[in-house]
Amino acid sequence: MGLELLVDPDLFALCKECGDAAGVDLTRLLTEADEDELRLTENAQPALCFTSIALARVLGRGGVHPVAVAGHSVGEYAALAVAGSMSAADAVAAVRHRGLVMADAVPAGTTSMAAVLGLDPPTVEAVLEGVSDVWPANYNTPTQTVIGGRIEALEIAEDLLKRSGARKVIRLNVSAAFHTPLMVSAAANLKTYLDGMNWSAPQVPVIANLTARPYEGVVDLTATLEKQLFSPVRWANSVRMMGELGCDGFLELGPRRALTGMMRELAPNAFAAAIATPEGCIELEMSAK
């Protein structure tokens, strides 16, 4: 992940700076770590955050700048860094800490998440009302909701959702039930850490996962990010808000194509592309010219 980015001396130096701030050998993680190591929340989050920020910097060199930004879950920290609310190093350090406290919030192997395809959110919510310890975690599209909770309860919910007409229920390869009440203790720890950071008002609108609305200055940044950890990601409404702000093109910056496919349902008339490498940035800039 990010190997092509580190060929650039400036981005290599940025990676070293971010890794030092986070207390992790980020360069090694990006170039040498195996899948099992990289999948650990405390490693995956800083790696993803740095990669997104670095790609945004490459695009910026070519004159591609955002009108508004949003990030799905941990991506919100990269979005805030791109918008100038915090430094890249602070963002990577924050998500490293976030990953550690999330990993400690529940015993390993006791919770998970699943994507529910083919049901609308009200139907999913109605089914979950009858199951304890499972909650909606991501409202991704009108027909895709991610749920999370304790594994025993999750298995019951998956069966009930299939019986209620879900086209598919896919268990996700994640280490815990993020964006559920099981993360409340982690969120309190995270808030203390975030309150000690240096923050600035975003230079462009940043759409918050929690509210699907732009952050308003510096005041609500840390409180919103605290609640984000144990509240659903309202991605469908976030994309709708960016459309209301005038966005008619969307670039997904990261190592994999995770969100772009959703745009066919969320904004079918908008341009959408996933950018994972510097070469992808260059191709986009050339096509725009």
Side-chain angles (χ1 to χ4, degrees), residues 55-74:
L55 287 166
R57 293 205 175 188
V58 175
L59 284 173
R61 293 174 185 170
V64 179
H65 302 285
V67 172
V69 291
H72 192 290
S73 189
V74 67

Side-chain angles (χ1 to χ4, degrees), residues 38-63:
L38 201 54
R39 189 186 294 116
L40 295 173
T41 305
E42 62 269 28
N43 293 335
Q45 296 203 8
L48 288 165
C49 186
F50 169 78
T51 301
S52 297
I53 293 169
L55 287 166
R57 293 205 175 188
V58 175
L59 284 173
R61 293 174 185 170

